[in-house]
Amino acid sequence: LEGEDGRPASQKPCAVASDRAGGWYVTTTDSLLHVSAAGRIRTVATCEDCRGIALSPDGSALFLADTGNHKIRRVEVATGAVS
């Protein structure tokens, strides 16, 4: 995989979720990536041990299952801010 941000550190996908524009969000062992419908890859946020992913109904946020810390993380799609 090669993206706008260069090569992702990890290429081991763990979970995927689709967006309304035909793109995909993919968690790897260390990153949250967005793959556009055109095939462009960008890093949205860095994360560790995230195994599950869900997109909010309005598409503004992603929810990640942070299994290493036993928490659900919210990632703002526009900014990549993680809470």
Side-chain angles (χ1 to χ4, degrees):
L1 295 174
E2 190 72 35
E4 294 175 9
D5 302 328
R7 189 176 187 92
S10 171
Q11 294 186 36
K12 297 177 184 173
C14 297
V16 296
S18 62
D19 65 18
R20 294 181 182 174
W24 294 90
Y25 289 95
V26 180
T27 60
T28 67
T29 53
D30 60 6
S31 300
L32 171 61
L33 307 174
H34 181 259
V35 182
S36 72
R40 291 195 174 131
I41 301 167
R42 70 176 173 90
T43 302
V44 176
T46 57
C47 55
E48 290 186 30
D49 229 5
C50 289
R51 301 293 175 185
I53 185 172
L55 186 63
S56 66
D58 66 1
S60 66
L62 291 154
F63 298 91
L64 306 176
D66 179 350
T67 58
N69 293 301
H70 307 286
K71 294 184 178 187
I72 300 296
R73 303 282 184 193
R74 179 184 174 113
V75 179
E76 299 300 324
V77 171
T79 65
V82 180
S83 57

Coordinates of all heavy atoms in Angstrom, one line a residue:
L1 N 0.8 -1.2 0.0 CA 0.0 0.0 0.0 C 0.9 1.2 0.0 O 1.8 1.3 0.7 CB -0.9 0.0 1.2 CG -1.9 -1.1 1.4 CD1 -2.6 -0.9 2.7 CD2 -2.9 -1.0 0.3
E2 N 0.5 2.2 -0.8 CA 1.2 3.5 -0.8 C 0.2 4.6 -0.8 O -0.8 4.5 -1.5 CB 2.0 3.6 -2.1 CG 3.0 4.8 -2.1 CD 4.2 4.6 -1.1 OE1 4.6 3.5 -1.0 OE2 4.6 5.6 -0.5
G3 N 0.3 5.5 0.1 CA -0.7 6.5 0.3 C -0.1 7.9 0.2 O 1.0 8.2 -0.1
E4 N -1.0 8.9 0.4 CA -0.7 10.3 0.3 C 0.4 10.6 1.4 O 1.2 11.5 1.3 CB -1.9 11.2 0.5 CG -2.9 11.1 -0.6 CD -4.2 11.8 -0.3 OE1 -4.3 12.6 0.6 OE2 -5.1 11.6 -1.1
D5 N 0.3 9.9 2.5 CA 1.2 10.1 3.6 C 2.5 9.2 3.6 O 3.2 9.1 4.5 CB 0.5 9.9 5.0 CG -0.7 10.8 5.2 OD1 -0.7 11.9 4.7 OD2 -1.6 10.3 5.8
G6 N 2.7 8.6 2.4 CA 3.7 7.6 2.3 C 3.2 6.2 2.7 O 2.0 6.0 2.8
R7 N 4.1 5.3 2.9 CA 3.8 3.9 3.2 C 3.3 3.8 4.6 O 4.0 4.2 5.5 CB 5.0 3.1 2.9 CG 4.7 1.6 3.0 CD 6.0 0.8 2.6 NE 5.7 -0.5 2.5 CZ 5.4 -1.2 1.4 NH1 5.4 -0.5 0.3 NH2 5.1 -2.4 1.3
P8 N 2.2 3.2 4.9 CA 1.7 3.0 6.2 C 2.7 2.1 7.0 O 3.3 1.2 6.4 CB 0.4 2.3 6.1 CG -0.1 2.6 4.7 CD 1.2 2.8 3.9
A9 N 2.9 2.3 8.3 CA 3.8 1.5 9.1 C 3.4 0.1 9.1 O 4.3 -0.8 9.1 CB 3.9 2.1 10.5
S10 N 2.1 -0.2 9.1 CA 1.6 -1.6 9.2 C 0.7 -1.8 8.0 O 0.0 -0.9 7.6 CB 0.9 -1.8 10.5 OG 0.3 -3.1 10.4
Q11 N 0.7 -3.0 7.5 CA -0.2 -3.3 6.5 C -1.1 -4.5 6.8 O -1.6 -5.3 6.0 CB 0.5 -3.6 5.2 CG 1.3 -2.4 4.7 CD 1.9 -2.7 3.3 OE1 1.4 -3.4 2.5 NE2 3.0 -2.1 3.1
K12 N -1.3 -4.7 8.1 CA -2.1 -5.8 8.6 C -3.5 -5.3 9.0 O -3.7 -4.8 10.1 CB -1.5 -6.5 9.8 CG -0.2 -7.1 9.5 CD 0.5 -7.7 10.7 CE 1.9 -8.2 10.4 NZ 2.6 -8.6 11.5
P13 N -4.5 -5.4 8.0 CA -5.8 -4.8 8.4 C -6.5 -5.7 9.5 O -6.4 -6.9 9.5 CB -6.6 -5.0 7.0 CG -5.8 -5.9 6.2 CD -4.4 -5.9 6.7
C14 N -7.2 -4.9 10.3 CA -7.9 -5.6 11.4 C -9.4 -5.5 11.3 O -10.2 -6.4 11.6 CB -7.5 -5.0 12.7 SG -5.8 -5.2 13.1
A15 N -9.9 -4.3 10.8 CA -11.4 -4.1 10.6 C -11.6 -3.0 9.6 O -10.7 -2.2 9.3 CB -11.9 -3.6 12.0
V16 N -12.8 -3.1 9.0 CA -13.1 -2.1 7.9 C -14.5 -1.6 8.1 O -15.4 -2.2 8.7 CB -13.0 -2.7 6.5 CG1 -11.6 -3.1 6.2 CG2 -13.9 -3.8 6.3
A17 N -14.8 -0.3 7.6 CA -16.1 0.3 7.6 C -16.1 1.1 6.4 O -15.2 1.8 6.0 CB -16.3 1.1 8.9
S18 N -17.3 1.1 5.7 CA -17.4 1.9 4.5 C -18.1 3.3 4.8 O -18.8 3.4 5.7 CB -18.2 1.2 3.4 OG -19.6 0.9 3.9
D19 N -17.8 4.3 3.9 CA -18.4 5.6 4.1 C -19.4 5.8 2.9 O -19.5 5.0 2.0 CB -17.4 6.7 4.2 CG -16.5 6.9 2.9 OD1 -16.9 6.4 1.8 OD2 -15.5 7.5 3.0
R20 N -20.1 6.9 2.9 CA -21.1 7.1 1.9 C -20.6 7.5 0.6 O -21.3 7.5 -0.4 CB -22.0 8.3 2.4 CG -22.8 7.9 3.6 CD -23.7 9.0 4.0 NE -24.5 8.6 5.2 CZ -25.2 9.4 5.9 NH1 -25.4 10.6 5.5 NH2 -25.9 9.0 7.0
A21 N -19.3 7.8 0.5 CA -18.6 8.3 -0.8 C -18.0 7.1 -1.5 O -17.3 7.3 -2.5 CB -17.6 9.4 -0.5
G22 N -18.2 5.9 -1.0 CA -17.6 4.7 -1.6 C -16.2 4.4 -1.1 O -15.5 3.5 -1.7
G23 N -15.7 5.1 -0.1 CA -14.4 4.8 0.5 C -14.5 3.9 1.7 O -15.6 3.4 2.0
W24 N -13.4 3.5 2.2 CA -13.3 2.6 3.3 C -12.4 3.1 4.4 O -11.3 3.7 4.1 CB -12.7 1.2 2.8 CG -13.6 0.5 1.9 CD1 -13.6 0.7 0.5 CD2 -14.6 -0.4 2.2 NE1 -14.6 -0.1 0.0 CE2 -15.2 -0.8 1.0 CE3 -15.1 -0.9 3.4 CZ2 -16.3 -1.7 0.9 CZ3 -16.1 -1.8 3.3 CH2 -16.7 -2.2 2.1
Y25 N -12.7 2.9 5.6 CA -11.8 3.2 6.8 C -11.3 1.8 7.2 O -12.1 0.8 7.3 CB -12.6 3.8 7.9 CG -12.9 5.2 7.6 CD1 -14.2 5.6 7.1 CD2 -12.0 6.3 7.8 CE1 -14.5 6.9 6.7 CE2 -12.3 7.6 7.5 CZ -13.6 7.9 7.0 OH -13.9 9.2 6.6
V26 N -10.0 1.7 7.4 CA -9.4 0.4 7.7 C -8.5 0.6 9.0 O -7.7 1.6 9.0 CB -8.5 0.0 6.6 CG1 -7.8 -1.4 6.9 CG2 -9.3 -0.1 5.3
T27 N -8.7 -0.2 10.0 CA -7.8 -0.2 11.1 C -6.7 -1.2 10.8 O -7.0 -2.3 10.3 CB -8.5 -0.5 12.4 OG1 -9.1 -1.8 12.4 CG2 -9.5 0.5 12.8
T28 N -5.5 -0.8 11.2 CA -4.4 -1.8 11.1 C -3.9 -1.9 12.6 O -4.5 -1.3 13.5 CB -3.2 -1.3 10.2 OG1 -2.6 -0.1 10.8 CG2 -3.7 -0.9 8.8
T29 N -2.8 -2.6 12.8 CA -2.3 -2.8 14.1 C -1.8 -1.5 14.7 O -1.7 -1.4 15.9 CB -1.2 -3.8 14.2 OG1 -0.2 -3.5 13.2 CG2 -1.7 -5.2 13.9
D30 N -1.6 -0.4 13.9 CA -1.1 0.8 14.5 C -1.7 2.1 13.9 O -1.3 3.2 14.2 CB 0.4 0.9 14.4 CG 0.9 0.8 13.0 OD1 0.1 0.8 12.0 OD2 2.1 0.7 12.8
S31 N -2.6 2.0 12.9 CA -3.1 3.2 12.3 C -4.6 3.0 11.9 O -5.1 1.9 11.7 CB -2.4 3.4 10.9 OG -1.0 3.6 11.2
L32 N -5.3 4.2 11.7 CA -6.6 4.2 11.1 C -6.4 4.9 9.7 O -5.9 6.0 9.7 CB -7.5 5.0 12.0 CG -8.9 5.4 11.3 CD1 -9.7 4.1 11.0 CD2 -9.7 6.3 12.2
L33 N -6.7 4.2 8.7 CA -6.5 4.7 7.3 C -7.8 4.9 6.6 O -8.8 4.3 6.9 CB -5.7 3.6 6.5 CG -4.4 3.1 7.1 CD1 -3.8 2.0 6.2 CD2 -3.4 4.2 7.2
H34 N -7.8 5.8 5.7 CA -9.0 6.0 4.8 C -8.5 5.7 3.4 O -7.5 6.2 2.9 CB -9.5 7.4 4.8 CG -10.7 7.6 4.0 ND1 -10.6 8.2 2.7 CD2 -12.0 7.2 4.1 CE1 -11.8 8.2 2.2 NE2 -12.7 7.6 3.0
V35 N -9.2 4.8 2.7 CA -9.0 4.5 1.3 C -10.2 5.1 0.5 O -11.3 4.6 0.7 CB -8.9 3.0 1.1 CG1 -8.6 2.7 -0.4 CG2 -7.9 2.3 2.0
S36 N -9.9 6.1 -0.3 CA -11.0 6.7 -1.1 C -11.5 5.8 -2.2 O -10.8 4.8 -2.5 CB -10.5 8.0 -1.7 OG -9.6 7.8 -2.7
A37 N -12.6 6.2 -2.8 CA -13.1 5.4 -3.9 C -12.2 5.4 -5.1 O -12.2 4.5 -5.9 CB -14.5 6.0 -4.3
A38 N -11.3 6.4 -5.1 CA -10.3 6.5 -6.2 C -9.0 5.7 -5.9 O -8.1 5.6 -6.7 CB -9.9 7.9 -6.5
G39 N -9.0 5.1 -4.6 CA -7.8 4.3 -4.2 C -6.7 5.0 -3.5 O -5.7 4.5 -3.2
R40 N -7.0 6.3 -3.2 CA -6.0 7.1 -2.4 C -6.1 6.7 -1.0 O -7.1 6.6 -0.4 CB -6.2 8.6 -2.6 CG -5.9 9.0 -4.0 CD -5.8 10.6 -4.0 NE -5.3 11.0 -5.3 CZ -5.9 11.9 -5.9 NH1 -7.0 12.6 -5.4 NH2 -5.5 12.3 -7.1
I41 N -4.9 6.5 -0.3 CA -4.8 6.1 1.1 C -4.2 7.3 1.9 O -3.2 7.8 1.5 CB -3.9 4.9 1.2 CG1 -4.5 3.7 0.4 CG2 -3.8 4.5 2.7 CD1 -3.5 2.6 0.3
R42 N -4.9 7.6 3.0 CA -4.3 8.6 3.9 C -4.5 8.1 5.3 O -5.4 7.4 5.7 CB -4.9 10.0 3.7 CG -6.4 10.1 4.2 CD -6.9 11.5 4.1 NE -8.3 11.5 4.4 CZ -8.8 11.7 5.6 NH1 -8.0 11.9 6.6 NH2 -10.1 11.7 5.8
T43 N -3.6 8.5 6.2 CA -3.7 8.2 7.6 C -4.6 9.2 8.3 O -4.3 10.4 8.2 CB -2.3 8.2 8.2 OG1 -1.4 7.3 7.5 CG2 -2.3 7.8 9.7
V44 N -5.6 8.7 8.9 CA -6.5 9.5 9.7 C -6.0 9.8 11.1 O -6.0 10.9 11.6 CB -7.9 8.9 9.7 CG1 -8.9 9.8 10.5 CG2 -8.5 8.7 8.3
A45 N -5.5 8.7 11.7 CA -5.0 8.8 13.1 C -4.1 7.6 13.4 O -4.2 6.6 12.6 CB -6.2 8.8 14.1
T46 N -3.3 7.7 14.4 CA -2.5 6.5 14.8 C -3.2 5.9 16.0 O -3.8 6.7 16.8 CB -1.1 6.9 15.1 OG1 -1.1 7.9 16.1 CG2 -0.3 7.4 13.9
C47 N -3.2 4.7 16.1 CA -3.8 4.0 17.2 C -3.1 2.7 17.5 O -2.3 2.2 16.6 CB -5.3 3.7 16.9 SG -5.6 2.9 15.4
E48 N -3.3 2.1 18.6 CA -2.7 0.8 18.9 C -3.7 -0.2 19.3 O -4.6 0.1 20.1 CB -1.7 0.9 20.1 CG -0.4 1.7 19.7 CD 0.6 1.7 20.8 OE1 0.7 0.8 21.5 OE2 1.3 2.7 20.8
D49 N -3.6 -1.4 18.7 CA -4.5 -2.5 19.1 C -6.0 -2.3 18.9 O -6.8 -2.7 19.7 CB -4.2 -2.9 20.6 CG -4.0 -4.4 20.7 OD1 -3.9 -5.1 19.7 OD2 -3.8 -4.8 21.8
C50 N -6.4 -1.5 17.9 CA -7.8 -1.3 17.6 C -8.3 -2.4 16.7 O -7.7 -2.7 15.6 CB -8.0 0.0 16.9 SG -7.8 1.4 18.1
R51 N -9.3 -3.1 17.1 CA -9.8 -4.3 16.4 C -11.1 -4.1 15.7 O -11.5 -4.9 14.8 CB -9.8 -5.5 17.3 CG -8.5 -5.8 18.0 CD -7.6 -6.3 16.9 NE -6.3 -6.5 17.5 CZ -5.2 -6.9 16.9 NH1 -5.2 -7.0 15.6 NH2 -4.0 -7.0 17.5
G52 N -12.0 -3.2 16.2 CA -13.3 -3.0 15.6 C -13.5 -1.6 15.3 O -12.8 -0.7 15.8
I53 N -14.4 -1.3 14.3 CA -14.6 0.0 13.8 C -16.1 0.2 13.4 O -16.7 -0.7 12.9 CB -13.7 0.3 12.7 CG1 -13.8 1.8 12.2 CG2 -13.9 -0.6 11.5 CD1 -12.7 2.2 11.2
A54 N -16.6 1.4 13.7 CA -18.0 1.7 13.2 C -18.0 3.2 12.9 O -17.3 4.0 13.6 CB -19.0 1.4 14.3
L55 N -18.7 3.6 11.9 CA -18.9 4.9 11.4 C -20.2 5.5 12.0 O -21.2 4.8 11.9 CB -18.8 5.0 9.9 CG -18.8 6.3 9.2 CD1 -17.6 7.1 9.6 CD2 -18.9 6.2 7.7
S56 N -20.2 6.7 12.5 CA -21.4 7.3 13.0 C -22.4 7.5 11.8 O -22.0 7.6 10.7 CB -21.1 8.7 13.7 OG -20.6 9.6 12.7
P57 N -23.7 7.6 12.1 CA -24.7 7.7 11.1 C -24.4 8.9 10.1 O -24.7 8.9 8.9 CB -26.0 7.8 11.8 CG -25.8 7.1 13.1 CD -24.3 7.4 13.4
D58 N -23.9 10.0 10.7 CA -23.7 11.2 9.9 C -22.3 11.2 9.2 O -22.0 12.1 8.5 CB -24.0 12.5 10.6 CG -22.9 12.7 11.8 OD1 -22.0 11.9 11.9 OD2 -23.1 13.7 12.5
G59 N -21.5 10.2 9.5 CA -20.2 10.1 8.9 C -19.1 11.0 9.5 O -18.0 11.1 9.0
S60 N -19.4 11.7 10.6 CA -18.5 12.7 11.1 C -17.5 12.1 12.1 O -16.4 12.7 12.4 CB -19.2 13.8 11.8 OG -19.9 13.3 13.0
A61 N -17.8 10.9 12.6 CA -16.9 10.3 13.6 C -16.8 8.7 13.4 O -17.7 8.1 12.9 CB -17.4 10.5 15.0
L62 N -15.7 8.2 13.8 CA -15.5 6.8 13.8 C -15.3 6.3 15.3 O -14.8 7.0 16.1 CB -14.2 6.4 13.1 CG -14.3 6.6 11.6 CD1 -13.0 6.9 11.0 CD2 -15.0 5.4 10.9
F63 N -15.8 5.1 15.6 CA -15.7 4.6 16.9 C -14.8 3.3 16.8 O -15.1 2.4 16.0 CB -17.0 4.3 17.5 CG -17.8 5.5 17.7 CD1 -18.7 5.9 16.7 CD2 -17.7 6.3 18.8 CE1 -19.4 7.1 16.8 CE2 -18.4 7.5 19.0 CZ -19.3 7.9 18.0
L64 N -13.7 3.3 17.5 CA -12.8 2.2 17.5 C -12.8 1.4 18.8 O -12.8 2.0 19.8 CB -11.4 2.7 17.2 CG -11.1 3.6 16.0 CD1 -9.7 4.1 16.0 CD2 -11.5 2.9 14.7
A65 N -12.7 0.1 18.7 CA -12.6 -0.8 19.8 C -11.1 -0.9 20.1 O -10.3 -1.6 19.4 CB -13.2 -2.1 19.6
D66 N -10.6 -0.1 21.2 CA -9.2 -0.2 21.6 C -9.1 -1.3 22.6 O -9.3 -1.2 23.8 CB -8.9 1.2 22.2 CG -7.5 1.3 22.8 OD1 -6.8 0.3 22.8 OD2 -7.1 2.4 23.1
T67 N -8.8 -2.5 22.1 CA -8.7 -3.7 22.9 C -7.6 -3.7 23.9 O -7.7 -4.3 25.0 CB -8.7 -5.0 22.0 OG1 -7.5 -4.9 21.2 CG2 -9.9 -5.1 21.2
G68 N -6.5 -3.0 23.6 CA -5.4 -3.0 24.5 C -5.7 -2.2 25.8 O -5.1 -2.5 26.8
N69 N -6.5 -1.2 25.7 CA -6.9 -0.4 26.8 C -8.3 -0.5 27.3 O -8.8 0.2 28.2 CB -6.6 1.1 26.5 CG -5.1 1.4 26.2 OD1 -4.3 1.2 27.1 ND2 -4.8 1.8 25.1
H70 N -9.0 -1.5 26.7 CA -10.4 -1.8 27.0 C -11.3 -0.5 27.0 O -12.0 -0.2 27.9 CB -10.5 -2.4 28.4 CG -9.6 -3.6 28.6 ND1 -9.9 -4.8 28.0 CD2 -8.4 -3.8 29.2 CE1 -8.9 -5.7 28.2 NE2 -8.0 -5.0 28.9
K71 N -11.2 0.2 25.9 CA -12.0 1.5 25.7 C -12.5 1.6 24.3 O -12.0 0.9 23.4 CB -11.1 2.7 26.0 CG -10.6 2.8 27.4 CD -9.9 4.1 27.6 CE -9.4 4.2 29.1 NZ -8.8 5.4 29.4
I72 N -13.6 2.4 24.1 CA -14.1 2.7 22.8 C -13.5 4.1 22.6 O -13.7 5.0 23.4 CB -15.6 2.7 22.8 CG1 -16.1 1.3 23.1 CG2 -16.1 3.2 21.4 CD1 -15.8 0.3 22.1
R73 N -12.8 4.3 21.5 CA -12.2 5.6 21.1 C -13.1 6.3 20.0 O -13.6 5.6 19.1 CB -10.8 5.4 20.6 CG -9.9 4.7 21.5 CD -9.4 5.7 22.5 NE -8.4 5.0 23.4 CZ -8.0 5.5 24.5 NH1 -8.5 6.6 25.0 NH2 -7.1 4.9 25.2
R74 N -13.3 7.6 20.1 CA -14.0 8.3 19.1 C -12.9 9.1 18.3 O -12.1 9.8 18.9 CB -15.0 9.3 19.7 CG -15.7 10.2 18.7 CD -16.6 11.2 19.4 NE -17.2 12.0 18.4 CZ -18.5 12.1 18.1 NH1 -19.3 11.3 18.7 NH2 -18.9 12.9 17.1
V75 N -13.0 9.0 17.0 CA -12.1 9.7 16.1 C -12.9 10.6 15.2 O -13.8 10.2 14.5 CB -11.2 8.7 15.2 CG1 -10.3 9.5 14.3 CG2 -10.5 7.8 16.1
E76 N -12.6 11.9 15.3 CA -13.3 12.9 14.4 C -12.7 12.7 13.0 O -11.5 12.9 12.8 CB -13.1 14.3 14.9 CG -13.6 14.5 16.3 CD -15.1 14.3 16.4 OE1 -15.8 14.6 15.5 OE2 -15.6 13.8 17.4
V77 N -13.5 12.5 12.0 CA -13.1 12.2 10.7 C -12.4 13.5 10.1 O -11.3 13.3 9.4 CB -14.3 11.8 9.8 CG1 -13.9 11.8 8.3 CG2 -14.8 10.4 10.2
A78 N -12.9 14.6 10.3 CA -12.3 15.9 9.7 C -11.0 16.2 10.3 O -10.1 16.7 9.5 CB -13.3 17.0 10.0
T79 N -10.7 15.9 11.5 CA -9.5 16.4 12.2 C -8.5 15.3 12.6 O -7.4 15.5 12.8 CB -9.8 17.2 13.4 OG1 -10.4 16.4 14.4 CG2 -10.6 18.4 13.1
G80 N -9.1 14.1 12.8 CA -8.3 13.0 13.3 C -8.1 13.0 14.8 O -7.4 12.2 15.3
A81 N -8.8 13.9 15.5 CA -8.7 14.0 16.9 C -9.3 12.8 17.6 O -10.4 12.3 17.2 CB -9.4 15.2 17.4
V82 N -8.6 12.2 18.5 CA -9.0 10.9 19.2 C -9.4 11.3 20.6 O -8.6 11.9 21.3 CB -7.8 9.9 19.2 CG1 -8.3 8.6 19.9 CG2 -7.4 9.6 17.7
S83 N -10.5 10.8 21.0 CA -10.9 11.0 22.4 C -11.4 9.6 23.0 O -11.6 8.7 22.3 CB -12.0 12.0 22.6 OG -13.1 11.8 21.8

